[in-house]
């Protein structure tokens, strides 16, 4: 049934969200989606999502305070700074965060869902917040090959997509 189709999609999310409530139904993310934000502080997140969806054939428009938008971004002051609330239903997709970081993490979860489910997304509610304020990765760049800037940017994008917020490059005396 329904849960057998949704559960494998939800099980792919990393890190696992604190709360996932599935509902019956699906939402089709059209190729001409509109991403709307209320506050200009969240325009970056809207444009970032547009850039992520472009290569998969979703040519989004970005607009401020657009009624009936497909994806709606907003700040919710009752949420912790990096917490987010993601809801998908017949009215579209809403991502609320306690700050720009929370909205970004909600969008990362949305993209993880879209990578598995495609453009037909299950109706659900996800609420999550990090357990630790610093979630980091240390890379020793003084041994073996030194990564290129392209490799570092790719690593940063991958770490951000799973909600890491700290990268430490470790060097020793071997760096001139």
């Amino acid at each position: 049934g329904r849960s057998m189709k949704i559960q494998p999609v939800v099980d792919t999310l990393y890190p696992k969200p604190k709360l996932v409530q599935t509902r019956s139904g699906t939402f089709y993310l059209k190729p001409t989606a509109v991403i709307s934000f209320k506050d200009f502080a969240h325009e970056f997140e809207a444009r970032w999502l547009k850039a992520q969806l472009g290569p998969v054939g979703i040519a989004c428009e970005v607009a401020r305070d657009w009624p009936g938008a497909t994806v709606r971004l907003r700040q919710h002051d009752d949420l912790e700074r990096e917490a987010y609330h993601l809801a998908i239903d017949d009215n579209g997709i809403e991502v609320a965060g306690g700050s720009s970081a929370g909205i970004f993490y909600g969008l990362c979860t949305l993209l993880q869902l879209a990578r598995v489910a495609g453009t037909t997304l299950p109706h659900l509610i996800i609420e999550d917040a990090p357990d630790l304020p610093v979630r980091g990765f240390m890379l020793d760049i003084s041994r073996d090959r030194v990564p290129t800037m392209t490799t570092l940017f790719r690593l940063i994008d991958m770490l951000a997509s799973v909600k890491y917020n700290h990268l430490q490059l470790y060097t020793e005396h071997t760096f001139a």
Side-chain angles (χ1 to χ4, degrees):
R2 175 186 68 82
S3 63
M4 294 304 288
K5 293 178 184 175
I6 293 174
Q7 200 57 45
V9 172
V10 170
D11 287 344
T12 64
L13 297 176
Y14 184 83
K16 184 178 176 184
K18 292 184 179 4
L19 172 74
V20 177
Q21 294 177 342
T22 58
R23 309 234 197 275
S24 63
T26 57
F27 176 76
Y28 175 64
L29 187 58
K30 295 176 184 156
T32 56
V34 176
I35 304 168
S36 177
F37 57 94
K38 284 195 173 290
D39 187 332
F40 279 116
H42 308 302
E43 184 176 5
F44 171 83
E45 289 81 16
R47 294 201 179 280
W48 177 83
L49 180 61
K50 175 182 177 172
Q52 300 303 307
L53 292 174
V56 295
I58 311 247
C60 300
E61 293 296 323
V62 173
R64 183 169 186 256
D65 231 358
W66 188 272
T70 312
V71 181
R72 298 171 306 280
L73 311 181
R74 67 181 179 88
Q75 185 161 326
H76 195 297
D77 294 331
D78 290 342
L79 292 171
E80 295 174 35
R81 192 177 99 62
E82 294 186 356
Y84 68 89
H85 174 92
L86 168 64
I88 303 173
D89 59 25
D90 285 335
N91 297 318
I93 302 165
E94 181 173 284
V95 180
S99 68
S100 292
I103 292 171
F104 178 76
Y105 295 143
L107 293 177
C108 288
T109 298
L110 174 62
L111 286 172
Q112 286 183 29
L113 285 169
R115 284 188 188 110
V116 175
T119 55
T120 304
L121 301 169
H123 286 187
L124 52 70
I125 293 174
I126 295 177
E127 293 181 358
D128 197 19
D131 290 327
L132 302 169
V134 176
R135 299 160 314 278
F137 181 81
M138 197 250 328
L139 177 63
D140 185 346
I141 62 171
S142 56
R143 291 169 179 76
D144 298 323
R145 291 177 24 172
V146 176
T148 64
M149 290 303 289
T150 302
T151 300
L152 284 176
F153 287 141
R154 199 172 312 137
L155 175 64
I156 290 167
D157 288 342
M158 189 272 305
L159 291 171
S161 75
V162 291
K163 302 163 185 106
Y164 279 58
N165 63 359
H166 185 84
L167 172 64
Q168 180 180 13
L169 300 177
Y170 177 78
T171 63
E172 285 187 3
H173 64 296
T174 56
F175 251 83

